[in-house]
Amino acid sequence: MNIEKYSFGVGDRFAHQAAAQLRAFEMIANDGVDVAPVWNKSNREHTFVGSDPQSVFDAAKVAVDKLGWEKPWHVDADHVQLATVEPFLPCSDFFTIDVADWIGKAASENDINDFVDRHSELIGTLELAGLSAPLEISRDDVRRVAQQYLLAVKEASVIYQHIASVKGSDNLIAEVSMDETDSPQTPPELLIILAAMADEKIPVQTIAPKFTGRFNKGVDYVGDLAQFEREFNDDLAVIAHAVKQYGLPEVLKLSVHSGSDKFSLYPIIRESLQRTGAGLHIKTAGTTWLEELIGLAEAGGDGLKLAKEIYLYALDHVDELSAPYASVIDVDASKLPDLATVQGYSGGEFASAIRHIPTNPLFNPSMRQLLHVSFKVAAKAGDRYTDMLVANEEIVGKQVTENIYQRHMRPLFLG
């Protein structure tokens, strides 16, 4: 099983929006760009919501059948480790292997020495096609990177081999995620990591490095755009070289995690893909759940009432709700509207406050980020929340489809 050239991860916290999401893929296909949907939900999110991995497959299959979708689609076991992968095995074909916990823990000295001795081709001045400047890598650099990442790669191999033993190696797509760590991986480091993955016989099809800058969930990129452009393009060059040098899968491509709503990066990514012919996997950060809230607010009445209740509960529990996501959100509590202000919002005003249109003077990124991580509040509401989604299916679905197609897919792939 090979990943398609372009793939796009969609989260669906409450398993009600798969058809609305899939309509966006139909629309971009009608524009001449095939993008494979990848429904993803992590173990952490299942725990918060009280769902199970099979529910993601089931909701996706219903949508695929309903819309008569005949192109490829996948279900992602998102950010799995050996301890959490088991429930995902029967119902997933895409596995995001997360080894962040092993980054920085050193492998044995013998393993490190063997790796350095085995890869003399990495040492020196490497002039790879497409690089902004040659890579300068010393023997000490190779050793340092091996000390930082070799054990993590070995753990990725253990997890991959376990998955493959159950699924069969021809029935799965392997992604390795290294983005949930403190320091970004530079292009030279990425090359050394890919060499290690080849040694460990991981047929990785997408690699998710950590880029420089802030990839906060649900809002735009914060960082140096020129630096990101250099990194992204150099990473593409490194991947193309590693595929040829080490026999990694020809479909290997970059994965951008928390890639939704990174509007300032989309022109850079689009130009790079068009120039190089490279593929891309972009993983969203669950913004479909926010579009549900926007739809309920726009619906008015009980929908707006519930949206306000969820926000006001979140306002009273900012620290508790933010803590699990502290590294990927920046909520300024002083910018959060108070109870009286929110109670006075019309449906349109509430929607405008959290719909990601930065030019709208009502848009409030802190409110949006807080609600982004507050989906467990809706989960506590249980049937009341999901019944409201059903009752307002048309207006909610419209928000979901338009968000993915207009604000994400068109800028990414068409401009």
Side-chain angles (χ1 to χ4, degrees):
M1 180 183 292
N2 284 334
I3 187 67
E4 291 70 32
K5 183 175 182 179
Y6 300 136
S7 49
F8 193 102
V10 282
D12 187 12
R13 296 285 194 266
F14 300 97
H16 277 66
Q17 305 308 326
Q21 293 168 328
L22 191 55
R23 288 188 189 99
F25 291 85
E26 287 186 324
M27 293 165 74
I28 199 72
N30 289 337
D31 292 330
V33 183
D34 284 334
V35 183
V38 182
W39 279 278
N40 55 260
K41 194 170 181 179
S42 68
N43 181 70
R44 177 169 64 180
E45 290 158 1
H46 282 298
T47 301
F48 285 165
V49 173
S51 56
D52 60 74
Q54 185 66 42
S55 65
V56 179
F57 175 91
D58 292 344
K61 184 65 166 62
V62 168
V64 165
D65 291 344
K66 178 180 178 180
L67 273 63
W69 179 259
E70 296 181 347
K71 297 176 185 290
W73 58 282
H74 304 286
V75 175
D76 180 6
D78 188 16
H79 283 284
V80 288
Q81 298 178 347
L82 203 57
T84 57
V85 72
E86 218 63 30
F88 293 90
L89 292 171
C91 50
S92 302
D93 60 354
F94 187 117
F95 291 83
T96 299
I97 298 170
D98 187 338
V99 293
D101 289 348
W102 284 266
I103 294 174
K105 297 178 180 177
S108 72
E109 196 64 22
N110 283 342
D111 284 345
I112 292 170
N113 288 337
D114 287 347
F115 178 82
V116 175
D117 291 341
R118 193 162 56 245
H119 287 289
S120 59
E121 83 286 350
L122 289 167
I123 298 167
T125 301
L126 306 184
E127 298 185 4
L128 312 184
L131 283 177
S132 60
L135 302 183
E136 300 289 348
I137 303 176
S138 68
R139 186 179 179 87
D140 286 344
D141 291 331
V142 177
R143 172 173 289 280
R144 174 184 54 79
V145 175
Q147 288 171 333
Q148 182 81 356
Y149 293 103
L150 186 56
L151 190 65
V153 172
K154 287 181 175 295
E155 180 64 20
S157 179
V158 170
I159 299 169
Y160 170 78
Q161 295 299 336
H162 176 68
I163 297 168
S165 73
V166 177
K167 301 289 293 186
S169 58
D170 292 336
N171 299 314
L172 69 98
I173 293 162
E175 169 171 292
V176 177
S177 164
M178 294 190 163
D179 64 303
E180 294 197 355
T181 185
D182 293 336
S183 301
Q185 292 93 40
T186 64
E189 288 172 338
L190 180 61
L191 178 57
I192 297 167
I193 290 166
L194 290 174
M197 288 187 185
D199 284 355
E200 295 296 327
K201 296 181 170 47
I202 306 170
V204 58
Q205 296 193 35
T206 86
I207 179 80
K210 182 180 178 66
F211 295 97
T212 301
R214 291 283 289 183
F215 281 75
N216 288 338
K217 290 186 177 291
V219 291
D220 205 350
Y221 173 78
V222 178
D224 184 330
L225 293 178
Q227 183 174 6
F228 173 83
E229 184 172 15
R230 284 193 301 273
E231 280 186 15
F232 189 84
N233 284 311
D234 285 353
D235 282 351
L236 293 181
V238 161
I239 286 174
H241 174 76
V243 166
K244 295 175 183 175
Q245 178 77 26
Y246 301 114
L248 290 166
E250 290 187 3
V251 295
L252 176 59
K253 61 183 181 177
L254 274 178
S255 179
V256 181
H257 281 202
S258 291
S260 68
D261 297 275
K262 304 302 177 281
F263 300 149
S264 61
L265 299 184
Y266 290 172
I268 294 171
I269 294 173
R270 184 181 68 249
E271 189 280 331
S272 298
L273 299 183
Q274 291 173 347
R275 178 174 48 79
T276 62
L280 174 74
H281 181 61
I282 190 156
K283 184 169 289 191
T284 68
T287 53
T288 285
W289 135 249
L290 290 176
E291 297 306 316
E292 290 179 339
L293 273 187
I294 289 166
L296 293 181
E298 293 277 19
D302 289 342
L304 175 59
K305 180 182 177 184
L306 180 55
K308 288 180 177 180
E309 285 180 23
I310 290 170
Y311 171 72
L312 294 174
Y313 181 93
L315 186 63
D316 286 338
H317 298 81
V318 174
D319 292 341
E320 171 195 335
L321 293 167
S322 299
Y325 298 92
S327 65
V328 285
I329 59 171
D330 285 316
V331 174
D332 184 343
S334 69
K335 300 289 180 63
L336 294 170
D338 60 19
L339 184 151
T341 301
V342 172
Q343 292 288 30
Y345 277 166
S346 67
E349 288 170 332
F350 189 101
S352 293
I354 62 172
R355 183 183 286 120
H356 196 184
I357 300 179
T359 55
N360 187 323
L362 291 177
F363 174 61
N364 186 320
S366 287
M367 182 178 177
R368 178 176 170 85
Q369 288 179 89
L370 175 60
L371 280 171
H372 188 289
V373 300
S374 300
F375 59 91
K376 66 170 74 173
V377 183
K380 288 180 181 177
D383 290 345
R384 183 182 171 211
Y385 179 75
T386 53
D387 287 351
M388 200 72 69
L389 294 180
V390 173
N392 297 281
E393 180 180 357
E394 185 175 347
I395 190 168
V396 170
K398 180 174 182 287
Q399 310 305 316
V400 171
T401 302
E402 287 185 355
N403 174 55
I404 295 172
Y405 175 67
Q406 295 286 1
R407 290 193 281 277
H408 293 83
M409 287 184 169
R410 284 196 61 89
L412 258 173
F413 299 113
L414 294 173

